[in-house]
Amino acid sequence: SGLVEYVALRGYVVAPPLHAEHMSELLDARKVVETAALGRAFRDQDALLADLEEAHRSHSEVLSRIDESGSEDYTLLNEHFRADWAFHQAFFAHAENRYLRTMVENLSTYTHRMRQTWSGGPETFDGHIAHHEHGMILEKVRQHNHDGALNALRAHLDGVLARSLTGVESRSEREGQAPVTKG
């Protein structure tokens, strides 16, 4: 799955966070797969809307608990990641395509690795921004605006990439390394 690597004379270690080039490729792949799923999910728009609204509400509740905790609570952070991902999973649940589901399951492992950029601390936490962007997608689905929903999803994933790349740069600066950028 890419979360653990074998290093000679050391054994198995946790894989390092993704570099900028990897993140760019990952978000490009997610755009392809997720827009395909969301586009197909419009076949049963009422069921899609109900699941997206529930996922969005649940995500909001987790973000409220994070705000109330006022600390770096990794249990809550993990709940946030699950709630965030549940919103995206709704596309696949309604796309009715087992191969798209398999593709996103593989991508989800790398998405989790990309989230390691949060290890820089609360200043890299983008939960509220992502929730707002999910709300933009949800609003387009409510309006029965297929193309608008796809554009909102693309904008969200572009935003995730931009914020993640900022996290990579911040982490590199803290560690005294030159950031690894896409060449």
Side-chain angles (χ1 to χ4, degrees), residues 14-127:
V14 174
L18 297 177
H19 293 292
E21 183 175 359
H22 300 137
M23 289 180 182
S24 296
E25 290 175 10
L26 172 61
L27 269 296
D28 183 51
R30 281 188 60 190
K31 267 198 257 187
V32 170
V33 174
E34 290 191 38
T35 56
L38 179 56
R40 284 163 180 77
F42 264 80
R43 293 177 187 151
D44 187 359
Q45 201 163 350
D46 292 337
L48 170 64
L49 181 58
D51 284 352
L52 288 177
E53 286 178 337
E54 174 59 25
H56 197 252
R57 184 194 57 71
S58 294
H59 193 189
S60 179
E61 290 173 1
V62 171
L63 289 169
S64 292
R65 291 198 332 263
I66 288 171
D67 291 343
E68 290 168 8
S69 77
S71 66
E72 295 178 27
D73 183 329
Y74 289 98
T75 301
L76 282 175
L77 182 63
N78 193 31
E79 280 187 56
H80 154 69
F81 289 145
R82 284 196 313 271
D84 179 284
W85 193 245
F87 185 86
H88 294 262
Q89 287 297 106
F91 311 155
F92 294 91
H94 295 283
E96 298 180 1
N97 185 309
R98 73 189 80 215
Y99 299 104
L100 287 173
R101 279 194 307 270
T102 300
M103 292 167 137
V104 80
E105 286 169 12
N106 186 28
L107 293 176
S108 71
T109 300
Y110 295 99
T111 297
H112 180 70
R113 279 189 60 206
M114 190 179 79
R115 289 176 175 147
Q116 291 173 336
T117 59
W118 191 84
S119 64
E123 68 275 2
T124 61
F125 180 68
D126 72 341

Side-chain angles (χ1 to χ4, degrees), residues 134-155:
H134 288 179
M136 302 300 288
I137 298 164
L138 177 58
E139 187 55 35
K140 296 302 180 184
V141 173
R142 280 186 190 123
Q143 296 169 357
H144 303 282
N145 185 341
H146 176 275
D147 293 345
L150 295 178
N151 288 334
L153 173 59
R154 286 184 198 99

